[in-house]
């Protein structure tokens, strides 16, 4: 079975908690985590509700393989309506709290309403209660974590919480768990804070033992662990260099969006790359990277644990930041570094620490600073708005100051907390916002990787690489190499990636396994664990159903095909150098075919045939 | 001889000649050398060379022995890598 078959419903308005059985008919259609929680959300909220109002709900959901012995089986997701985009949001995180929640006997927690006062949820196996959080409100993620561990005198307690930025209403906040793992995107932390829910603290000791065929499950998962270990990417590349190995790859091929996506190559990329994280610093003779790290049950261990040189200006006289903590992933390094033109590895590592400490999405934050830097460059904003800060591209000190202000919700940091779209709209230059549906771009320029343009434009949560990572094929040759500069075949590629990823995101596994596993590796593990027949075809159908469910929510929320687009810059301003020189993102050549493959009308609406086929 | 920029990343970086900076070395290769010739010249484990770019443009495995390098070319190579 793998599912705990039980969910926890928390009414924050009334201060009540209750247990109810999981809808297993829905589990058969949507599997778990992203898919199943999206189904609950869609059924329970009005898509047009105010994302920060009490009518919105927030769901923390595990997948059936979360907490099991499957490699990477520790994922959980936060699902809600996003205040940043107005779309459905699903942000996925690793760490340990997902497995802990499952071991406590719960598949998911549904939070509804709004508490009149700050509270946190404490779960110990079957027991759950809301407790006052007046002493936690106003504290950072790191301090909240410390206080809760101290209060409950339980070092094994797993905690997910929001930081000060979310309390202050910044729209680009995630939910941080285990100090530096994040359900980071789409403002899910802002929703949590809007409900006066500061933290969720979980202790589970029951384990996950209710597998359909335990012996077969152990065999299937043990074999697939060896596959990951023997794969050059998942066995060597990711543990050694992490995702940051991509900084030089994407830069060399001229698809690294630079300085608010005005350019496609960054002259400082080598200084902030995965390779640079291994080099000894001139200041203290130590490398940025302390070690790699693994989430629950993971045999890849791509996580980065880093330090900042204690003599660096950003941490001088700040001993709190002298120890090792969560280091740079590629997307964060790109947004905080390349997109702002900052190539100071210590500075962006420190800012990454701050994003973890106070729950900012480093992609959205970095991209928003980049937009502000362009506003500053154009003279739209001046030191009058920035509080005297010279907000030039490349300014490490300015970046650091802006991060500190945004974490505390002070000064110009309040404007940055709005995210790129609202910031640029506020200052009358919406075209400078590099966003889709209000969410900031990740680190791949669609002028040089055409499939990513379609990926971004059609993503159900706004610009995002994790909804359809065609970079795997277009750049890295996984599973097969395709030409990044052509548009032919990309509609089919994007749809295939979207459906497969939606299925993986519903399982409890990490999508990074797909660098070493195919769906033929994933399906048998789910089938051995879960009741029912879980073939590859069924999984892909689940993925397609989830995608369409999300799309339907967004359409009912008021979005339309007009939102399936890219910023004007990427559609009209050609790449200035590299293999893509002279190219724009040719979205118009891919989108109609994509709609057709999806079974949607030319206006991007689901047809009745599609609804019937998928049971929507 | 043909001067090129040789860029070896990730674990291939260990094969760079002395004096390389930020994974890049200015080297000379034989006239009309191919990426495969450079792989042999620098003792790169062939099975570890996964991604090959010349001036940012992908060179398919089948073309590594026929694509001629020209003066000033930037040849970049990686083992299997991924991220996200």
């Amino acid at each position: 079975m793998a599912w705990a078959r039980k969910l926890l419903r928390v009414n924050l308005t009334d201060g009540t908690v209750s247990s109810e059985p999981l809808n297993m008919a829905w589990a058969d259609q949507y599997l778990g985590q992203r898919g199943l929680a999206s189904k609950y959300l869609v059924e329970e909220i009005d898509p047009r509700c105010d994302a920060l109002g009490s009518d919105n709900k927030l769901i923390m959901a595990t997948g059936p393989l979360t907490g099991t012995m499957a490699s990477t089986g520790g994922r959980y997701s936060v699902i809600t309506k996003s205040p940043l985009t107005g779309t459905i949001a699903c942000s996925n995180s690793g760490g340990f709290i997902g497995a802990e929640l499952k071991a406590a006997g719960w598949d998911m927690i549904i939070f509804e309403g709004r508490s009149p006062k700050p509270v946190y949820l404490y779960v110990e196996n079957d027991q759950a209660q809301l407790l006052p959080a007046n002493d936690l409100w106003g504290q950072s993620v790191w301090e909240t974590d410390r206080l809760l561990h101290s209060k409950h005198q339980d070092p094994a307690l797993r905690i997910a919480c929001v930081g000060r930025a979310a309390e202050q209403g910044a729209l680009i906040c995630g939910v941080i768990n285990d100090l530096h793992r994040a359900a980071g995107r789409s403002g899910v932390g802002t929703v949590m804070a809007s409900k006066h829910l500061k933290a969720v603290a979980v202790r589970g000791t029951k384990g996950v033992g209710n597998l359909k065929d335990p012996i077969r499950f152990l065999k299937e998962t043990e074999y697939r662990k060896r596959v990951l270990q023997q794969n050059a990417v998942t066995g060597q590349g990711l543990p050694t260099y992490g995702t940051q190995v991509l900084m030089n790859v994407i830069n060399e091929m001229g698809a690294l969006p630079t300085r608010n996506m005005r350019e496609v190559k960054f002259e400082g990329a080598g200084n902030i790359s995965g390779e640079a994280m291994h080099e000894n610093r001139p200041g203290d003779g130590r490398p940025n990277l302390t070690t790699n790290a693994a989430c629950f049950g993971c045999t890849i261990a791509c996580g980065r644990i880093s330090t900042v040189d204690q003599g660096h200006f950003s941490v001088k006289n700040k001993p709190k930041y002298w120890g090792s903590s969560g280091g740079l992933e590629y997307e964060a390094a790109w947004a905080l570094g390349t997109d702002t033109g900052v190539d100071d590895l210590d500075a962006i590592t420190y800012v990454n620490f701050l994003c973890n400490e106070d729950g900012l999405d480093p992609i959205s934050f970095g991209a928003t600073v980049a937009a502000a830097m362009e506003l500053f460059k154009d003279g739209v904003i001046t030191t009058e708005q920035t509080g005297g800060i010279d907000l030039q591209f490349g300014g490490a000190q300015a970046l650091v100051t802006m991060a500190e202000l945004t974490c505390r919700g002070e000064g110009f940091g309040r404007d940055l907390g709005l995210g790129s779209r609202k910031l640029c709209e506020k200052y009358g230059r919406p075209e400078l916002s590099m966003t889709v549906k209000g969410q900031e771009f990740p680190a791949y320029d669609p002028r040089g990787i055409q499939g990513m343009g379609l990926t971004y434009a059609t993503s159900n949560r706004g610009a995002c690489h994790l909804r359809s990572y065609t970079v795997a094929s277009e750049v890295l040759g996984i599973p097969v190499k395709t030409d990044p500069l052509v548009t032919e075949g990309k509609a089919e590629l994007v749809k295939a990636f979207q459906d497969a990823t939606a299925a993986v995101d519903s399982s409890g596994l990490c999508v990074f396994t797909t660098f070493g596993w195919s769906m033929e590796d994933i399906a048998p593990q789910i089938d051995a664990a879960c009741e029912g027949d879980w073939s590859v075809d069924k999984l892909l159908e689940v993925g397609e159903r989830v995608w369409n469910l999300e799309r339907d929510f967004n359409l009912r929320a008021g979005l339309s095909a007009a939102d399936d687009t890219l910023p004007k810059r990427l559609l009209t301003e050609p790449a200035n150098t590299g293999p893509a020189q002279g190219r724009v993102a040719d979205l118009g050549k891919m989108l109609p075919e994509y709609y057709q493959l999806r079974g949607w009308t030319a206006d991007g609406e689901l047809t009745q045939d599609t609804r019937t086929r998928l049971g929507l | 001889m043909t001067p090129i920029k040789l860029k070896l990343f990730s674990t291939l970086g260990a094969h760079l000649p002395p004096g390389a900076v930020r994974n890049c070395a200015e080297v000379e290769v034989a006239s009309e050398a191919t990426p495969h010739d450079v792989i042999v010249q620098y003792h790169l484990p062939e099975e570890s060379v996964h991604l090959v770019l010349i001036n940012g443009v992908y060179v398919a495995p089948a073309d590594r022995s026929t694509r001629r390098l020209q003066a000033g070319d930037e040849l970049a190579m990686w083992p299997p890598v991924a991220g996200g």
Side-chain angles (χ1 to χ4, degrees), chain A residues 397-419:
Chain A
Q397 177 71 65
L399 173 70
V400 163
T401 303
M402 288 301 141
E404 292 171 342
L405 289 172
T406 307
C407 285
R408 296 195 299 264
E410 296 174 358
F412 192 64
R414 291 191 73 82
D415 277 356
L416 293 173
L418 295 171

Side-chain angles (χ1 to χ4, degrees), chain A residues 381-399:
Chain A
I381 60 173
T382 67
T383 51
E384 189 177 333
Q385 283 81 28
T386 65
I389 301 300
D390 184 22
L391 199 55
Q392 302 279 356
F393 280 117
Q397 177 71 65
L399 173 70

Side-chain angles (χ1 to χ4, degrees), chain A residues 236, chain B residues 11-12 44-51 64 77-80:
Chain A
Q236 298 159 35
Chain B
T11 50
L12 295 183
L44 304 182
E46 184 106 35
E47 70 282 3
S48 296
V49 180
H50 175 74
L51 179 62
R64 290 179 189 172
M77 296 190 269
W78 287 263

Side-chain angles (χ1 to χ4, degrees), chain A residues 232-233 238 241 246 248-249 252 270-271 275 279 331 444 465 469 475-476 481 515 579, chain B residues 7 9-11 22-23 50-51 53 55-58 74 76 78 80-84:
Chain A
V233 171
L238 281 170
Y241 288 99
L246 285 185
N248 282 316
V249 177
E252 287 296 321
N271 297 331
E275 287 86 350
E279 295 178 6
E331 306 298 337
Y444 312 90
H465 58 298
Y469 194 64
V475 178
L476 306 169
K481 184 74 174 69
F515 294 130
Chain B
K7 300 180 174 182
F9 295 102
S10 184
T11 50
R22 287 277 180 254
N23 296 85
H50 175 74
L51 179 62
L53 306 180
N55 303 325
V57 177
Y58 177 70
E74 297 188 0
W78 287 263
V81 294

Side-chain angles (χ1 to χ4, degrees), chain A residues 333-560:
Chain A
W334 164 79
L336 301 172
T338 307
D339 206 30
T340 66
V342 173
D343 67 352
D344 182 330
L345 184 59
D346 279 308
I348 63 173
T349 301
Y350 168 67
V351 173
N352 193 61
F353 285 0
L354 293 183
C355 288
N356 289 334
E357 184 183 17
D358 263 308
L360 285 176
D361 170 1
I363 300 177
S364 286
F365 172 71
T368 303
V369 172
M373 286 175 164
E374 186 158 3
L375 290 168
F376 191 87
K377 176 179 174 295
D378 288 356
V380 179
I381 60 173
T382 67
T383 51
E384 189 177 333
Q385 283 81 28
T386 65
I389 301 300
D390 184 22
L391 199 55
Q392 302 279 356
F393 280 117
Q397 177 71 65
L399 173 70
V400 163
T401 303
M402 288 301 141
E404 292 171 342
L405 289 172
T406 307
C407 285
R408 296 195 299 264
E410 296 174 358
F412 192 64
R414 291 191 73 82
D415 277 356
L416 293 173
L418 295 171
S420 173
R421 179 167 71 176
K422 286 189 167 61
L423 174 82
C424 292
E425 285 174 353
K426 176 175 178 176
Y427 290 103
R429 296 289 298 278
E431 77 279 8
L432 296 187
S433 173
M434 296 299 114
T435 52
V436 171
K437 301 181 176 78
Q439 179 157 281
E440 293 76 11
F441 274 78
Y444 312 90
D445 197 299
R447 291 169 290 198
I449 309 174
Q450 292 288 329
M452 290 305 287
L454 184 61
T455 287
Y456 296 145
T458 59
S459 163
N460 286 329
R461 69 170 185 175
C464 172
H465 58 298
L466 290 171
R467 286 296 175 268
S468 156
Y469 194 64
T470 61
V471 173
S473 171
E474 294 182 279
V475 178
L476 306 169
I478 303 171
V480 292
K481 184 74 174 69
T482 53
D483 187 339
L485 295 178
V486 307
T487 55
E488 290 78 14
K490 295 299 167 62
E492 188 178 5
L493 188 72
V494 166
K495 178 184 179 296
F497 269 85
Q498 287 173 338
D499 292 348
T501 303
V504 174
D505 285 348
S506 302
S507 70
L509 299 175
C510 176
V511 74
F512 280 11
T513 57
T514 58
F515 294 130
W517 289 345
S518 67
M519 295 303 283
E520 282 76 13
D521 290 301
I522 291 172
Q525 298 181 73
I526 297 174
D527 188 60
C530 301
E531 65 186 25
D533 296 319
W534 292 91
S535 63
V536 171
D537 286 346
K538 177 167 177 173
L539 277 178
L540 293 178
E541 184 182 286
V542 166
E544 186 178 11
R545 183 177 295 119
V546 172
W547 191 266
N548 280 274
L549 179 82
E550 294 171 339
R551 173 75 175 188
D552 195 41
F553 177 95
N554 289 347
L555 294 173
R556 291 192 290 123
L559 282 85
S560 70

